[in-house]
Amino acid sequence: MLKEADAINHPYWPRNLSIPNYVANDRSMSEILIFLFSVSGLLLVATWSLTGCKVSGSRLSGGRRLALCWFAVCGFIHGVIEGWFSLYYTIIPEDQSFLSQLWKEYCKGDSRYAIGDNFTVSMETITACLWGPFSIWIVIAFLYNRPYRFVLQLIVSLGQLYGAVLYFFTEHRDGYIHSEYGHPIYFWFYFVFMNALWVVIPFILILDSWSQLSTSQSMFDKAARKEKSKRS
């Protein structure tokens, strides 16, 4: 029988988790986080600049531009980073590609990704295939003032919120065993904070979509009543 020290070849929780093909990262946490936040920052700056142009003769509000910056970053994270996981989750523990190392670092906050848990694979595949492209579509729809833009925002935000709630709730039911509970970086920053963004921001955008669509429907109903009264 293997000794405990020999059997545990990874930094993940629970400590008795079996990942026989695990290979430790050769890139530091700082390198990985700098890459993630640098790319996200560049996308924010680029989208903020792009959305400063006039749309249908008027400029977008600051809040709307921030929302589009959010969707641009979502397009990158969903389509590229989560897309990588959905394609290569079976080899990530042993792979030394940069994005695989990014996922191995994140697994310190949620080891379900290291073992290809059914829920995470299913959720991330749907997220990568749908919410990634749809997020970019939302940015384009607002830039060209498409009439369906708030419908897209509502659909994607609902999907993001639903996925994030399930993500937290499934881990809650497991007793938070897939992370070092209470760790300031791995639990509170990786697991809680970075995922809570996909609860708070989509919820705000759902309310925004609700308000915009309700106002449009109210105006349409009012115009329809006027037209009906003219005919009668």
Side-chain angles (χ1 to χ4, degrees):
M1 182 179 293
L2 291 175
K3 295 180 181 179
E4 185 178 0
D6 296 328
I8 300 174
N9 64 334
H10 60 76
Y12 307 132
W13 291 73
R15 297 303 295 136
N16 61 354
L17 196 65
S18 176
I19 312 177
N21 56 341
Y22 173 77
V23 176
N25 281 354
D26 56 23
R27 293 184 181 273
S28 66
M29 176 180 70
S30 59
E31 286 182 89
I32 293 170
L33 292 181
I34 287 172
F35 163 79
L36 177 62
F37 292 117
S38 295
V39 173
S40 298
L42 287 173
L43 283 171
L44 287 171
V45 172
T47 307
W48 180 263
S49 299
L50 182 64
T51 55
C53 303
K54 287 187 177 182
V55 178
S56 297
S58 62
R59 295 189 183 278
L60 296 171
S61 68
R64 187 64 56 210
R65 293 171 69 188
L66 285 174
L68 296 184
C69 289
W70 161 257
F71 282 116
V73 173
C74 284
F76 164 66
I77 293 176
H78 295 333
V80 178
I81 296 179
E82 291 170 289
W84 182 273
F85 174 80
S86 69
L87 289 173
Y88 301 111
Y89 67 90
T90 57
I91 64 168
I92 280 176
E94 63 194 77
D95 187 45
Q96 292 295 77
S97 300
F98 188 87
L99 290 181
S100 292
Q101 293 198 48
L102 183 152
W103 276 109
K104 284 191 282 185
E105 175 64 26
Y106 178 75
C107 287
K108 295 174 184 177
D110 188 349
S111 63
R112 290 179 291 179
Y113 288 89
I115 59 175
D117 170 79
N118 285 335
F119 170 74
T120 54
V121 171
S122 300
M123 180 192 68
E124 297 296 359
T125 301
I126 292 171
T127 300
C129 293
L130 293 181
W131 310 145
F134 272 46
S135 293
I136 301 302
W137 190 8
I138 289 170
V139 177
I140 296 171
F142 273 94
L143 288 176
Y144 287 92
N145 207 33
R146 296 297 186 234
Y148 51 77
R149 58 194 183 276
F150 285 105
V151 176
L152 284 178
Q153 178 176 289
L154 179 61
I155 292 171
V156 173
S157 298
L158 278 171
Q160 290 175 327
L161 178 61
Y162 181 66
V165 169
L166 285 180
Y167 178 74
F168 280 121
F169 190 56
T170 50
E171 181 60 9
H172 171 73
R173 286 183 57 83
D174 284 339
Y176 302 103
I177 63 172
H178 297 103
S179 180
E180 185 177 354
Y181 187 80
H183 192 284
I185 296 177
Y186 304 142
F187 181 78
W188 287 110
F189 184 63
Y190 286 7
F191 177 71
V192 176
F193 174 75
M194 293 183 72
N195 290 288
L197 293 175
W198 274 269
V199 174
V200 176
I201 298 177
F203 182 74
I204 293 171
L205 293 173
I206 287 169
L207 295 179
D208 175 52
S209 300
W210 180 288
S211 175
Q212 296 287 343
L213 292 171
S214 296
T215 300
S216 296
Q217 186 65 51
S218 177
M219 293 174 65
F220 177 81
D221 291 343
K222 186 177 180 179
R225 285 194 298 269
K226 285 184 178 180
E227 184 65 25
K228 186 177 179 180
S229 63
K230 287 180 180 179
R231 291 178 181 178
S232 60

